[in-house]
Amino acid sequence: MGRYTGPVERLSRREGVDLELKGARRLAGKGALERRGALPPGQHGGGRRVKTSVYAQQLREKQRAKRYYGVREKQFRRLLNEAAKRNAENTVTGERLLQLLEQRVDNVVVRLGFAATRAQARQFVSHGHVLVNGVRHTIASARLKPGDVVTIKDGAPIKPLAQEATELVAIVPAWLEADHDGLSGRVLRLPTRQEIQVPITEHLIVELAGRS
């Protein structure tokens, strides 16, 4: 199945939380979630809610995480398997999964404030406007490590958009260092769970994986 190309605000309404799929519109309080509330889209969205099973809640949490980070099923399953194999490092599987997702290039570009959404960040990367350690980078799913430097390429046509995006950022996470004037940033270390502010209950995802 390909990437979802429909109205992204429907996804936030479906999940009942802000998936940060819109930029300035969301921050201005004009998103569909604020206007219509946390009701599923469609003519029956406001009907009586049916109590969901534990399995349904776990599956919903997995869908929420995939949509938040813009990751497809195969990629997500691969990351979850890798997270499960790293328990030797005394890191909870769910926390490690979120760390792996946060290390993606497209996510770091957003966290640094150089793009308003992850979709926009992926476009910046895939079009070759982002440099990693001074080298042109086109793989949005690639994983960054502590010490890596991310820069918007000099002369890139998206620089005005990146500068505009920096004005929407309230705070850059402590595990990153950003120079908004120079459109450059550095990964200082891996994030802790407390620093990953996402509307995701990761232990439900791990429990779902344990069923298979």
Side-chain angles (χ1 to χ4, degrees):
M1 182 177 178
R3 189 179 300 279
Y4 176 78
T5 58
V8 294
E9 289 186 320
R10 289 176 63 91
L11 301 181
S12 289
R13 290 182 61 208
R14 177 65 184 86
E15 301 302 337
V17 297
D18 182 9
L19 298 178
E20 299 182 14
L21 302 176
K22 283 288 187 179
R25 179 183 175 88
R26 174 180 63 86
L27 294 175
K30 298 179 180 179
L33 195 64
E34 289 80 6
R35 290 184 288 108
R36 301 181 183 180
L39 296 175
Q43 63 177 337
H44 303 298
R48 183 173 63 87
R49 293 285 187 137
V50 178
K51 185 176 181 180
T52 57
S53 66
V54 173
Y55 174 77
Q57 293 172 7
Q58 294 168 341
L59 186 61
R60 186 83 272 134
E61 207 65 32
K62 177 184 175 182
Q63 289 296 99
R64 182 178 296 177
K66 286 165 53 181
R67 288 168 171 174
Y68 183 89
Y69 285 102
V71 178
R72 299 186 188 184
E73 175 64 28
K74 188 175 181 179
Q75 291 176 311
F76 193 85
R77 191 162 56 240
R78 189 163 54 238
L79 289 171
L80 186 55
N81 289 337
E82 180 178 349
K85 292 177 181 178
R86 296 207 175 194
N87 277 337
E89 299 179 3
N90 296 322
T91 302
V92 177
T93 298
E95 178 179 345
R96 181 57 186 154
L97 171 64
L98 292 181
Q99 285 181 335
L100 293 174
L101 290 165
E102 286 287 314
Q103 287 177 262
R104 287 170 53 101
V105 175
D106 54 358
N107 180 77
V108 171
V109 169
V110 170
R111 296 296 191 208
L112 289 170
F114 302 156
T117 65
R118 286 169 184 78
Q120 186 181 57
R122 281 192 293 274
Q123 188 176 50
F124 288 176
V125 175
S126 63
H127 288 185
H129 302 313
V130 176
L131 306 179
V132 176
N133 299 326
V135 179
R136 183 172 176 266
H137 207 80
T138 58
I139 303 176
S141 61
R143 196 177 308 155
L144 299 180
K145 60 184 183 299
D148 284 344
V149 176
V150 178
T151 310
I152 300 299
K153 184 180 178 182
D154 282 340
I158 56 92
K159 287 192 76 172
L161 290 175
Q163 287 285 7
E164 181 180 331
T166 63
E167 299 175 2
L168 303 176
V169 178
I171 187 171
V172 174
W175 58 281
L176 299 173
E177 179 182 66
D179 174 10
H180 285 168
D181 292 332
L183 292 180
S184 177
R186 181 188 301 271
V187 179
L188 301 177
R189 54 178 172 77
L190 296 183
T192 64
R193 179 60 185 95
Q194 291 72 26
E195 293 171 325
I196 304 175
Q197 300 297 315
V198 293
I200 297 168
T201 307
E202 65 275 12
H203 75 83
L204 293 178
I205 301 172
V206 178
E207 291 171 3
L208 176 64
R211 285 173 172 261
S212 58

mmCIF file of all heavy atoms in Angstrom, residues 66-94:
data_model
loop_
_atom_site.group_PDB
_atom_site.id
_atom_site.type_symbol
_atom_site.label_atom_id
_atom_site.label_comp_id
_atom_site.label_asym_id
_atom_site.label_seq_id
_atom_site.Cartn_x
_atom_site.Cartn_y
_atom_site.Cartn_z
ATOM 1 N N LYS A 66 2.626 5.400 13.330
ATOM 2 C CA LYS A 66 3.016 5.381 11.919
ATOM 3 C C LYS A 66 2.626 6.681 11.226
ATOM 4 O O LYS A 66 3.392 7.243 10.439
ATOM 5 C CB LYS A 66 2.353 4.196 11.212
ATOM 6 C CG LYS A 66 2.960 2.837 11.553
ATOM 7 C CD LYS A 66 2.071 1.685 11.123
ATOM 8 C CE LYS A 66 1.682 1.770 9.678
ATOM 9 N NZ LYS A 66 0.786 0.644 9.273
ATOM 10 N N ARG A 67 1.444 7.173 11.549
ATOM 11 C CA ARG A 67 0.976 8.408 10.913
ATOM 12 C C ARG A 67 1.720 9.627 11.447
ATOM 13 O O ARG A 67 1.984 10.580 10.707
ATOM 14 C CB ARG A 67 -0.532 8.547 11.133
ATOM 15 C CG ARG A 67 -1.334 7.562 10.308
ATOM 16 C CD ARG A 67 -2.788 7.481 10.710
ATOM 17 N NE ARG A 67 -3.554 6.681 9.759
ATOM 18 C CZ ARG A 67 -4.819 6.340 9.907
ATOM 19 N NH1 ARG A 67 -5.478 6.739 10.992
ATOM 20 N NH2 ARG A 67 -5.435 5.616 8.989
ATOM 21 N N TYR A 68 2.046 9.607 12.714
ATOM 22 C CA TYR A 68 2.762 10.744 13.308
ATOM 23 C C TYR A 68 4.124 10.921 12.656
ATOM 24 O O TYR A 68 4.524 12.041 12.300
ATOM 25 C CB TYR A 68 2.925 10.523 14.815
ATOM 26 C CG TYR A 68 3.589 11.670 15.545
ATOM 27 C CD1 TYR A 68 2.832 12.723 16.055
ATOM 28 C CD2 TYR A 68 4.960 11.706 15.726
ATOM 29 C CE1 TYR A 68 3.434 13.778 16.717
ATOM 30 C CE2 TYR A 68 5.571 12.760 16.385
ATOM 31 C CZ TYR A 68 4.806 13.786 16.876
ATOM 32 O OH TYR A 68 5.418 14.832 17.527
ATOM 33 N N TYR A 69 4.846 9.822 12.490
ATOM 34 C CA TYR A 69 6.200 9.900 11.923
ATOM 35 C C TYR A 69 6.234 9.712 10.408
ATOM 36 O O TYR A 69 7.292 9.862 9.795
ATOM 37 C CB TYR A 69 7.101 8.846 12.581
ATOM 38 C CG TYR A 69 7.512 9.208 13.990
ATOM 39 C CD1 TYR A 69 6.905 8.622 15.087
ATOM 40 C CD2 TYR A 69 8.523 10.146 14.230
ATOM 41 C CE1 TYR A 69 7.283 8.955 16.386
ATOM 42 C CE2 TYR A 69 8.907 10.473 15.519
ATOM 43 C CZ TYR A 69 8.286 9.872 16.590
ATOM 44 O OH TYR A 69 8.667 10.210 17.874
ATOM 45 N N GLY A 70 5.104 9.389 9.804
ATOM 46 C CA GLY A 70 5.073 9.202 8.352
ATOM 47 C C GLY A 70 5.830 7.968 7.901
ATOM 48 O O GLY A 70 6.532 7.998 6.887
ATOM 49 N N VAL A 71 5.680 6.874 8.659
ATOM 50 C CA VAL A 71 6.410 5.635 8.369
ATOM 51 C C VAL A 71 5.441 4.576 7.865
ATOM 52 O O VAL A 71 4.340 4.428 8.393
ATOM 53 C CB VAL A 71 7.123 5.123 9.646
ATOM 54 C CG1 VAL A 71 7.843 3.806 9.373
ATOM 55 C CG2 VAL A 71 8.115 6.164 10.139
ATOM 56 N N ARG A 72 5.859 3.817 6.869
ATOM 57 C CA ARG A 72 5.018 2.752 6.343
ATOM 58 C C ARG A 72 5.176 1.481 7.180
ATOM 59 O O ARG A 72 6.089 1.356 7.992
ATOM 60 C CB ARG A 72 5.380 2.479 4.886
ATOM 61 C CG ARG A 72 5.175 3.687 3.984
ATOM 62 C CD ARG A 72 5.403 3.343 2.541
ATOM 63 N NE ARG A 72 5.393 4.542 1.697
ATOM 64 C CZ ARG A 72 5.487 4.507 0.378
ATOM 65 N NH1 ARG A 72 5.593 3.353 -0.247
ATOM 66 N NH2 ARG A 72 5.475 5.633 -0.320
ATOM 67 N N GLU A 73 4.277 0.534 6.927
ATOM 68 C CA GLU A 73 4.206 -0.683 7.738
ATOM 69 C C GLU A 73 5.526 -1.462 7.746
ATOM 70 O O GLU A 73 6.003 -1.872 8.802
ATOM 71 C CB GLU A 73 3.081 -1.581 7.225
ATOM 72 C CG GLU A 73 2.981 -2.939 7.904
ATOM 73 C CD GLU A 73 2.647 -2.834 9.379
ATOM 74 O OE1 GLU A 73 1.997 -1.843 9.780
ATOM 75 O OE2 GLU A 73 3.022 -3.756 10.138
ATOM 76 N N LYS A 74 6.124 -1.658 6.592
ATOM 77 C CA LYS A 74 7.354 -2.452 6.512
ATOM 78 C C LYS A 74 8.496 -1.782 7.277
ATOM 79 O O LYS A 74 9.245 -2.440 8.002
ATOM 80 C CB LYS A 74 7.742 -2.664 5.047
ATOM 81 C CG LYS A 74 8.889 -3.644 4.857
ATOM 82 C CD LYS A 74 9.126 -3.903 3.376
ATOM 83 C CE LYS A 74 10.255 -4.899 3.162
ATOM 84 N NZ LYS A 74 10.488 -5.173 1.716
ATOM 85 N N GLN A 75 8.618 -0.471 7.120
ATOM 86 C CA GLN A 75 9.645 0.271 7.843
ATOM 87 C C GLN A 75 9.408 0.190 9.345
ATOM 88 O O GLN A 75 10.342 -0.016 10.124
ATOM 89 C CB GLN A 75 9.640 1.739 7.414
ATOM 90 C CG GLN A 75 10.104 2.012 6.006
ATOM 91 C CD GLN A 75 9.959 3.479 5.655
ATOM 92 O OE1 GLN A 75 8.910 4.087 5.865
ATOM 93 N NE2 GLN A 75 11.010 4.074 5.128
ATOM 94 N N PHE A 76 8.163 0.354 9.741
ATOM 95 C CA PHE A 76 7.829 0.358 11.157
ATOM 96 C C PHE A 76 8.123 -1.006 11.783
ATOM 97 O O PHE A 76 8.674 -1.086 12.882
ATOM 98 C CB PHE A 76 6.354 0.706 11.337
ATOM 99 C CG PHE A 76 5.972 1.039 12.755
ATOM 100 C CD1 PHE A 76 6.143 2.325 13.243
ATOM 101 C CD2 PHE A 76 5.456 0.067 13.593
ATOM 102 C CE1 PHE A 76 5.798 2.644 14.547
ATOM 103 C CE2 PHE A 76 5.113 0.373 14.898
ATOM 104 C CZ PHE A 76 5.286 1.666 15.382
ATOM 105 N N ARG A 77 7.779 -2.057 11.094
ATOM 106 C CA ARG A 77 8.011 -3.402 11.610
ATOM 107 C C ARG A 77 9.510 -3.669 11.761
ATOM 108 O O ARG A 77 9.951 -4.287 12.735
ATOM 109 C CB ARG A 77 7.371 -4.429 10.678
ATOM 110 C CG ARG A 77 7.326 -5.840 11.236
ATOM 111 C CD ARG A 77 6.330 -6.693 10.485
ATOM 112 N NE ARG A 77 6.610 -6.718 9.061
ATOM 113 C CZ ARG A 77 5.758 -6.299 8.130
ATOM 114 N NH1 ARG A 77 4.591 -5.807 8.477
ATOM 115 N NH2 ARG A 77 6.070 -6.369 6.859
ATOM 116 N N ARG A 78 10.289 -3.182 10.813
ATOM 117 C CA ARG A 78 11.743 -3.355 10.871
ATOM 118 C C ARG A 78 12.337 -2.619 12.070
ATOM 119 O O ARG A 78 13.200 -3.143 12.781
ATOM 120 C CB ARG A 78 12.365 -2.869 9.565
ATOM 121 C CG ARG A 78 13.838 -3.198 9.415
ATOM 122 C CD ARG A 78 14.284 -3.078 7.980
ATOM 123 N NE ARG A 78 13.974 -1.779 7.410
ATOM 124 C CZ ARG A 78 13.224 -1.585 6.325
ATOM 125 N NH1 ARG A 78 12.672 -2.608 5.716
ATOM 126 N NH2 ARG A 78 13.002 -0.375 5.868
ATOM 127 N N LEU A 79 11.858 -1.394 12.307
ATOM 128 C CA LEU A 79 12.338 -0.621 13.453
ATOM 129 C C LEU A 79 11.941 -1.268 14.771
ATOM 130 O O LEU A 79 12.727 -1.296 15.725
ATOM 131 C CB LEU A 79 11.786 0.808 13.382
ATOM 132 C CG LEU A 79 12.364 1.718 12.303
ATOM 133 C CD1 LEU A 79 11.568 3.007 12.216
ATOM 134 C CD2 LEU A 79 13.830 2.017 12.574
ATOM 135 N N LEU A 80 10.737 -1.807 14.827
ATOM 136 C CA LEU A 80 10.265 -2.462 16.048
ATOM 137 C C LEU A 80 11.090 -3.707 16.351
ATOM 138 O O LEU A 80 11.450 -3.956 17.509
ATOM 139 C CB LEU A 80 8.787 -2.818 15.902
ATOM 140 C CG LEU A 80 8.082 -3.396 17.133
ATOM 141 C CD1 LEU A 80 8.232 -2.464 18.331
ATOM 142 C CD2 LEU A 80 6.612 -3.627 16.825
ATOM 143 N N ASN A 81 11.424 -4.464 15.319
ATOM 144 C CA ASN A 81 12.259 -5.649 15.508
ATOM 145 C C ASN A 81 13.650 -5.265 15.999
ATOM 146 O O ASN A 81 14.223 -5.928 16.874
ATOM 147 C CB ASN A 81 12.369 -6.439 14.198
ATOM 148 C CG ASN A 81 11.077 -7.130 13.823
ATOM 149 O OD1 ASN A 81 10.235 -7.391 14.678
ATOM 150 N ND2 ASN A 81 10.909 -7.427 12.541
ATOM 151 N N GLU A 82 14.196 -4.190 15.444
ATOM 152 C CA GLU A 82 15.511 -3.732 15.883
ATOM 153 C C GLU A 82 15.468 -3.266 17.333
ATOM 154 O O GLU A 82 16.377 -3.550 18.120
ATOM 155 C CB GLU A 82 16.000 -2.593 14.991
ATOM 156 C CG GLU A 82 17.376 -2.072 15.392
ATOM 157 C CD GLU A 82 17.893 -0.979 14.482
ATOM 158 O OE1 GLU A 82 17.290 -0.760 13.412
ATOM 159 O OE2 GLU A 82 18.899 -0.338 14.843
ATOM 160 N N ALA A 83 14.411 -2.535 17.691
ATOM 161 C CA ALA A 83 14.273 -2.054 19.071
ATOM 162 C C ALA A 83 14.194 -3.215 20.052
ATOM 163 O O ALA A 83 14.766 -3.167 21.145
ATOM 164 C CB ALA A 83 13.040 -1.170 19.199
ATOM 165 N N ALA A 84 13.506 -4.290 19.655
ATOM 166 C CA ALA A 84 13.347 -5.452 20.534
ATOM 167 C C ALA A 84 14.666 -6.177 20.750
ATOM 168 O O ALA A 84 14.885 -6.783 21.806
ATOM 169 C CB ALA A 84 12.313 -6.399 19.950
ATOM 170 N N LYS A 85 15.565 -6.105 19.771
ATOM 171 C CA LYS A 85 16.842 -6.806 19.873
ATOM 172 C C LYS A 85 17.866 -6.045 20.702
ATOM 173 O O LYS A 85 18.933 -6.576 21.007
ATOM 174 C CB LYS A 85 17.415 -7.040 18.472
ATOM 175 C CG LYS A 85 16.607 -8.032 17.641
ATOM 176 C CD LYS A 85 17.178 -8.160 16.245
ATOM 177 C CE LYS A 85 16.355 -9.122 15.400
ATOM 178 N NZ LYS A 85 16.874 -9.224 14.006
ATOM 179 N N ARG A 86 17.563 -4.806 21.072
ATOM 180 C CA ARG A 86 18.533 -3.975 21.776
ATOM 181 C C ARG A 86 18.276 -3.901 23.273
ATOM 182 O O ARG A 86 18.756 -2.999 23.936
ATOM 183 C CB ARG A 86 18.537 -2.566 21.187
ATOM 184 C CG ARG A 86 19.004 -2.539 19.743
ATOM 185 C CD ARG A 86 19.612 -1.207 19.388
ATOM 186 N NE ARG A 86 20.166 -1.226 18.050
ATOM 187 C CZ ARG A 86 20.987 -0.287 17.577
ATOM 188 N NH1 ARG A 86 21.328 0.727 18.349
ATOM 189 N NH2 ARG A 86 21.450 -0.355 16.349
ATOM 190 N N ASN A 87 17.538 -4.834 23.791
ATOM 191 C CA ASN A 87 17.266 -4.832 25.226
ATOM 192 C C ASN A 87 18.520 -5.059 26.051
ATOM 193 O O ASN A 87 18.540 -4.808 27.252
ATOM 194 C CB ASN A 87 16.221 -5.894 25.583
ATOM 195 C CG ASN A 87 14.807 -5.373 25.354
ATOM 196 O OD1 ASN A 87 14.583 -4.174 25.347
ATOM 197 N ND2 ASN A 87 13.865 -6.279 25.170
ATOM 198 N N ALA A 88 19.574 -5.546 25.417
ATOM 199 C CA ALA A 88 20.832 -5.744 26.126
ATOM 200 C C ALA A 88 21.399 -4.422 26.628
ATOM 201 O O ALA A 88 22.222 -4.389 27.538
ATOM 202 C CB ALA A 88 21.847 -6.437 25.226
ATOM 203 N N GLU A 89 20.957 -3.324 26.031
ATOM 204 C CA GLU A 89 21.429 -2.004 26.441
ATOM 205 C C GLU A 89 20.582 -1.443 27.581
ATOM 206 O O GLU A 89 20.689 -0.269 27.928
ATOM 207 C CB GLU A 89 21.379 -1.042 25.250
ATOM 208 C CG GLU A 89 22.266 -1.478 24.087
ATOM 209 C CD GLU A 89 22.185 -0.521 22.912
ATOM 210 O OE1 GLU A 89 21.482 0.504 23.032
ATOM 211 O OE2 GLU A 89 22.833 -0.788 21.888
ATOM 212 N N ASN A 90 19.732 -2.302 28.173
ATOM 213 C CA ASN A 90 18.881 -1.895 29.294
ATOM 214 C C ASN A 90 17.929 -0.767 28.923
ATOM 215 O O ASN A 90 17.601 0.085 29.751
ATOM 216 C CB ASN A 90 19.744 -1.487 30.504
ATOM 217 C CG ASN A 90 20.550 -2.651 31.052
ATOM 218 O OD1 ASN A 90 20.059 -3.779 31.097
ATOM 219 N ND2 ASN A 90 21.780 -2.396 31.445
ATOM 220 N N THR A 91 17.515 -0.728 27.681
ATOM 221 C CA THR A 91 16.541 0.261 27.217
ATOM 222 C C THR A 91 15.226 -0.452 26.934
ATOM 223 O O THR A 91 15.208 -1.472 26.260
ATOM 224 C CB THR A 91 17.028 0.956 25.929
ATOM 225 O OG1 THR A 91 18.294 1.566 26.189
ATOM 226 C CG2 THR A 91 16.045 2.028 25.502
ATOM 227 N N VAL A 92 14.156 0.068 27.468
ATOM 228 C CA VAL A 92 12.838 -0.516 27.221
ATOM 229 C C VAL A 92 12.559 -0.495 25.715
ATOM 230 O O VAL A 92 12.868 0.486 25.033
ATOM 231 C CB VAL A 92 11.760 0.276 27.985
ATOM 232 C CG1 VAL A 92 10.377 -0.274 27.680
ATOM 233 C CG2 VAL A 92 12.040 0.227 29.482
ATOM 234 N N THR A 93 11.973 -1.566 25.219
ATOM 235 C CA THR A 93 11.749 -1.694 23.777
ATOM 236 C C THR A 93 10.967 -0.516 23.214
ATOM 237 O O THR A 93 11.320 0.032 22.164
ATOM 238 C CB THR A 93 10.994 -3.001 23.472
ATOM 239 O OG1 THR A 93 11.791 -4.112 23.898
ATOM 240 C CG2 THR A 93 10.721 -3.131 21.981
ATOM 241 N N GLY A 94 9.903 -0.108 23.890
ATOM 242 C CA GLY A 94 9.098 1.008 23.394
ATOM 243 C C GLY A 94 9.879 2.304 23.332
ATOM 244 O O GLY A 94 9.768 3.073 22.370
#
